[in-house]
Amino acid sequence: MRHDHITSARQLTREDIEAVLDRAAEIAAAPDAVADRHAGALLGLLFFEPSTRTKMSFSAAIKRLGGDVVDMGPVESSSVKKGESLADTVRVVEGYADALVLRHPSEGAATMASEYVDVPLINAGDGAGQHPTQTLLDLFTIRENAGLDDVSIGIMGDLKYGRTVHSLAHALTNFEVTQHFISPESLKLPRKVRYDLHQAGSTVKEHTGLESTLPSLDVLYVTRIQRERFPDETEYRKVAGQYQIDAATLADAREALTVLHPLPRVDEIAYDVDATAHASYFRQAHNGVPVRMALLDLLLGGER
Ligand code: ASP
């Protein structure tokens, strides 16, 4: 891979994506072969927002490659509380680590921070912007279940604030995919993302309901309404609880439909879906480890 920093899925070509997914498949099949591959490597974790999967799977990934983490820990106990700027924080921490993983509530934070450091910086979510490594594990799971060409993918929920949606939508333009976007009017895909998809020549369809689209889908990617991004709680309440699915909803779906969700789920997917053959969201979360191992391996480099 020729990138130093991974800040947006927009920068990823089909070749880049396939390199990561192929490497992830190799690693998943034979994890012991890479157990010491990056012995001594340190990954700097800078999480300015809550995280379970991204932070823990990056930790697991570097440790399974023989390395370790240096973790800033909670913002409350860091020098950020004393007024340190993000630019200063990353310049300091790059001296402690071989690569940095940054999650921040401000859109554009990772791109800005990446301009201050020489070690690879990975965007682990910047506000309502991008979340490119989530996309890589989403693509890995889609490829496992449905393949990545000639597929119909429905993306449902909070398309406005959902950063995993923006990244996935951009990355899917590299493949022969029909993208169906299903959301309330107020949470439609941002104009700039829609514009990029049209520029890339992607087939894009927008809907306010799932019913008519569901039978044609190979994959349904459900997302949480991003409550923390709403400027106004009353606006959140207007859309909360809409766009939920349960096992009965899926009666009209293809037998092979794969249901994904970046997690955490709140109430978008009823628990009765978990027992169906459609449910692939836990597997998707687990795929975060081999996919992040592959990405770190490619970014940290070294002889193989
Ligand atoms: N975990 C994902 C993210 O950080 C999805 C979500 O929070 O809804 O963007």
Side-chain angles (χ1 to χ4, degrees):
M1 269 203 1
R2 66 189 187 292
H3 307 291
D4 296 333
H5 306 301
I6 305 292
T7 55
S8 166
R10 291 180 66 175
Q11 77 192 79
L12 300 174
T13 63
R14 182 174 178 132
E15 214 183 5
D16 294 331
I17 293 167
E18 284 174 346
V20 177
L21 305 196
D22 291 347
R23 184 74 181 125
E26 266 173 40
I27 289 174
D32 291 348
V34 290
D36 298 316
R37 198 167 141 64
H38 293 285
L42 288 177
L43 188 62
L45 302 179
L46 299 141
F47 279 71
F48 291 75
E49 263 195 351
S51 172
T52 301
R53 279 152 291 277
T54 305
K55 188 169 174 180
M56 293 186 74
S57 65
F58 263 116
S59 297
I62 191 70
K63 289 177 183 179
R64 290 201 183 279
L65 290 168
D68 208 339
V69 294
V70 276
D71 184 355
M72 180 182 81
V75 170
E76 292 67 39
S77 55
S78 74
S79 280
V80 175
K81 278 281 146 197
K82 300 181 189 169
E84 186 169 56
S85 69
L86 178 60
D88 280 0
T89 303
V90 292
R91 270 186 288 198
V92 169
V93 181
E94 81 161 331
Y96 307 153
D98 302 291
L100 303 180
V101 179
L102 172 69
R103 170 168 290 186
H104 199 278
S106 304
E107 196 169 333
T111 305
M112 184 281 278
S114 71
E115 283 157 17
Y116 290 90
V117 294
D118 292 324
V119 300
L121 183 142
I122 302 169
N123 181 6
D126 61 325
Q130 290 270 319
H131 193 348
T133 66
Q134 174 71 43
T135 293
L136 290 167
L137 69 95
D138 295 343
L139 295 174
F140 185 85
T141 315
I142 294 171
R143 188 170 82 164
E144 257 184 355
N145 285 278
L148 276 169
D149 284 309
D150 298 318
V151 286
S152 233
I153 301 187
I155 304 182
M156 181 169 89
D158 187 345
L159 312 182
K160 180 177 181 183
Y161 297 117
R163 56 195 176 199
T164 71
V165 171
H166 307 157
S167 283
L168 181 60
H170 278 126
L172 287 173
T173 63
N174 290 293
F175 302 92
E176 295 298 316
V177 170
T178 302
Q179 300 197 53
H180 293 271
F181 294 101
I182 306 136
S183 73
E185 224 15 76
S186 63
L187 295 180
K188 277 171 71 175
L189 208 58
R191 186 188 287 263
K192 60 177 194 250
V193 179
R194 208 175 320 129
Y195 175 81
D196 286 345
L197 303 193
H198 284 298
Q199 285 293 100
S202 282
T203 312
V204 170
K205 299 189 176 156
E206 295 187 279
H207 316 263
T208 50
L210 177 64
E211 306 71 33
S212 59
T213 330
L214 181 64
S216 70
L217 298 179
D218 300 298
V219 175
L220 176 61
Y221 187 93
V222 183
T223 65
R224 173 179 71 88
I225 309 287
Q226 308 280 298
R227 183 177 197 161
E228 67 276 30
R229 311 265 178 245
F230 280 67
D232 180 350
E233 178 73 14
T234 52
E235 288 305 310
Y236 167 73
R237 270 192 245 112
K238 283 187 199 158
V239 288
Q242 295 183 21
Y243 298 86
Q244 296 172 334
I245 60 161
D246 58 19
T249 319
L250 300 178
D252 291 335
R254 289 184 179 168
E255 211 181 310
L257 173 80
T258 299
V259 176
L260 302 179
H261 190 307
L263 302 178
R265 74 173 142 183
V266 180
D267 53 10
E268 311 78 44
I269 302 182
Y271 287 100
D272 64 0
V273 177
D274 298 1
T276 70
H278 303 298
S280 299
Y281 26 90
F282 291 112
R283 165 105 184 130
Q284 177 188 4
H286 297 160
N287 284 337
V289 176
V291 170
R292 291 186 167 114
M293 286 172 80
L295 181 69
L296 290 172
D297 186 35
L298 294 167
L299 289 176
L300 294 171
E303 287 304 304
R304 281 179 60 188

